[in-house]
């Protein structure tokens, strides 16, 4: 019997992205640059996160004209963002044929209590998380891929590092726990018990875990890979840099060869200026996108 | 038997797990020198455009062609099958061009049309759980090729001498029969070489 959009098919799609770089693009031209540089997928957006931050107001699903333009421009998978809890935006993106939906804190949440029931969809979802509990809640709702939230549009890697380190430390702790401790830990983390049991047995999340939110240089990408990321999302980091083509190629190479420092040094030379960064403490509480999501 | 898994991008760990399960020594391959002491190679699923770019950049195109011409078995899954083909529908050039076949990329539609189905695979399994993810298919197979599996009349697995290609992903299942089959191919060709 043929089964479409099974959990294995959705998670498998994310497995195929491992070791790769997913790049934010806002038009066909950027999408082609990303594909030519070796991106494994592109995220079609109206504005990159740093511009969303600058524009303020309500950030919604992208103009579908842009999504369609990007889908026509490249043969690699195309992702798009829906607002947290906005299952109609997600259904519309699914109907358009996007390959992956990011239920994303970069957009203004549509629901301040609940996320989308992602199990109902045949298209896979990626969601952001800051710690193990949040990651397992999203997987419990049907997410097929997790990424750190970091702090999008800042070009500052510190939050992504914190989120990845937190998650990995919690995974190690759960792995070494005795069985009697698991239920109480599920309660502490706010995580579904069965998924925590999986982490205990396997020492990893049941889905692929990427880094996102602040990656701006090849070294940032390699750092996240060494901290345990399966791959990297780069939002504003490429097309807000001085030389997007060079930055894109260099970040792809540094992600593949993340422990080869000679190679990273070589690809990092003469790149020009990276995107402008923002110090996290300078952000007002209300401007911290990572606080969105429940 | 030591089998490498090309580790530039894609589902590398899954192939390593399966190869170890059937009794091979499996290692990731990121540099061309690492091909030297291998008996066989797996080119995994991933994004074929990405893997191909990195292969060109690091000299893998020529190195893997030589590896194949030395009669060392190569198994390509999904993107790996595209990389092995000598013709790609709608494109002028191919990648490795080691297998005489024409492939079509993303032949079953976009991700939301991706699916799994039990398929008979000739000489391997009557009911192999085949996972198709934005999968290609083999439109034409050269006369030296042998069809191993079809889905809706489309060729989705084939062998040509010491080359093996699957449009689906055996590495995403718990079923190691295709990896066992590949390991047997590797043993067979290695035995031939030792005799010669």
């Amino acid at each position: 019997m043929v089964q479409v959009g099974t959990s294995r098919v959705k998670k498998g799609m994310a497995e195929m992205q491992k070791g790769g770089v997913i790049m934010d693009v806002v038009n066909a031209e950027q999408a082609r640059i990303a594909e030519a540089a070796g991106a494994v997928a592109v995220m079609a957006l109206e504005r990159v996160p740093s511009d969303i931050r600058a524009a303020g107001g309500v950030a919604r699903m992208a103009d579908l004209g842009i999504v369609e333009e990007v889908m026509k421009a490249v043969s690699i998978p195309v992702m798009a963002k829906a607002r947290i809890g906005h299952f109609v935006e997600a259904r519309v993106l699914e109907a358009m044929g996007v390959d992956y939906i990011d239920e994303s804190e970069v957009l203004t949440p549509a629901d301040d209590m609940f996320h989308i029931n992602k199990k109902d969809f045949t298209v896979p979802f990626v969601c952001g998380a800051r710690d193990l509990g949040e990651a397992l809640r999203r997987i419990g709702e049907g997410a097929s891929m997790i990424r750190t939230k970091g702090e999008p549009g800042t070009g500052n890697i510190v939050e992504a590092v914190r989120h990845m380190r937190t998650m990995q430390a919690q995974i190690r702790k759960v792995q070494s726990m005795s069985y009697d401790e698991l239920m109480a830990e599920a309660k502490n983390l706010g995580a579904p018990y069965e998924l925590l049991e999986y982490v205990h047995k396997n020492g990893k999340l049941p889905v692929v875990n990427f880094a996102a939110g602040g990656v701006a240089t090849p070294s940032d990408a390699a750092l996240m890979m060494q901290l345990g990321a399966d791959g990297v999302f780069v939002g504003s980091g490429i097309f807000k840099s001085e030389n997007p083509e060079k930055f894109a190629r260099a970040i792809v190479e540094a992600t593949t060869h993340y422990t080869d420092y000679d190679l990273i040094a070589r690809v990092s030379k003469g790149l020009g200026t990276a995107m402008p960064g923002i110090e996290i403490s300078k952000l007002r509480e209300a401007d911290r996108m990572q606080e969105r999501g429940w | 038997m030591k089998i490498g898994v090309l580790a530039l991008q894609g589902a590398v760990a899954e192939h390593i797990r399966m190869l170890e399960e059937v009794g091979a020594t499996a290692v990731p391959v990121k540099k061309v020198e690492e091909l030297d002491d291998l008996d066989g190679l797996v080119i995994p699923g991933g994004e074929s455009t990405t893997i191909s770019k990195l292969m060109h950049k690091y000299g893998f195109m020529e190195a893997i062609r030589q590896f194949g011409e030395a009669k060392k078995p190569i198994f390509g899954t999904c993107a790996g099958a595209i990389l092995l083909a000598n013709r790609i529908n709608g494109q002028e050039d191919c990648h490795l061009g080691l297998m005489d076949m024409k492939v079509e990329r993303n032949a079953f539609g976009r991700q939301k049309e991706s699916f799994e189905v039990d398929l008979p695979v000739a000489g391997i399994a009557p009911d192999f759980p085949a996972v198709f993810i934005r999968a290609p298919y083999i439109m034409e197979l050269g006369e030296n090729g042998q069809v191993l599996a079809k889905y809706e009349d489309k060729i989705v697995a084939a062998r040509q001498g010491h080359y093996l290609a699957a449009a689906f992903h055996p590495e995403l299942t718990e079923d190691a029969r295709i990896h066992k089959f590949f390991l047997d191919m590797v043993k067979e060709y290695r035995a031939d070489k030792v005799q010669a």
Side-chain angles (χ1 to χ4, degrees), chain A residues 232-246:
Chain A
V232 177
F233 282 86
V234 188
S236 323
I238 289 172
F239 291 99
K240 288 290 169 188
S241 70
E242 195 178 352
N243 191 332
E245 283 181 68
K246 277 191 183 169

Side-chain angles (χ1 to χ4, degrees), chain B residues 121-192:
Chain B
V121 184
I124 300 178
D127 56 348
F128 195 86
V131 182
F132 290 83
I133 296 173
R134 289 170 49 94
Y137 87 102
I138 301 166
M139 302 173 83
E140 294 163 17
L141 183 63
E143 56 186 24
N144 295 326
Q146 177 198 357
V147 176
L148 297 183
K150 281 188 171 188
Y151 173 68
E152 289 185 337
D153 256 359
K154 294 179 161 119
I155 304 171
V156 291
R159 176 181 179 174
Q160 177 196 311
H162 58 300
Y163 300 127
L164 182 66
F168 50 88
H169 294 282
E171 77 282 8
L172 292 181
T173 69
E174 299 302 316
D175 194 322
R177 286 178 287 183
I178 292 183
H179 286 83
K180 174 75 171 60
F181 181 83
F182 180 63
L183 176 62
D184 290 342
M185 279 172 60
V186 174
K187 284 179 181 164
E188 187 188 313
Y189 277 88
R190 168 125 182 206
D192 283 355

Side-chain angles (χ1 to χ4, degrees), chain A residues 1-6 8-10 12-13 15-20 35-40 71 75-78 94-99 122-124 249 252-253 255-258 260 263, chain B residues 7-14 30-31 44-47 49-50 53-54 57-58 78 105-106 109-118 129-134 151-152 169 171-174:
Chain A
M1 197 183 69
V2 183
Q3 292 177 290
V4 176
T6 59
R8 182 150 69 182
V9 164
K10 292 195 281 186
M13 160 73 189
E15 302 280 353
M16 296 309 137
Q17 304 269 295
K18 283 195 299 191
E35 184 176 46
V40 290
M71 284 170 63
S75 68
I76 55 176
V78 176
E94 183 182 47
M96 294 267 304
V98 303
D99 297 295
T122 54
V123 68
R249 280 200 302 267
V252 168
E253 286 200 62
T255 303
T256 297
H257 292 287
Y258 58 89
D260 185 339
L263 181 142
Chain B
L8 296 175
Q9 190 272 316
V12 176
E14 290 72 14
K30 284 195 183 229
K31 308 255 155 143
E47 285 308 318
T49 52
T50 306
K53 281 187 176 66
L54 294 168
K57 192 159 262 166
Y58 307 129
C78 194
R105 294 179 61 204
N106 300 334
R110 301 196 73 97
Q111 174 59 25
K112 67 173 178 173
E113 278 101 32
S114 293
F115 60 97
E116 52 184 292
V117 64
D118 284 350
V131 182
F132 290 83
I133 296 173
R134 289 170 49 94
Y151 173 68
E152 289 185 337
H169 294 282
E171 77 282 8
L172 292 181
T173 69
E174 299 302 316

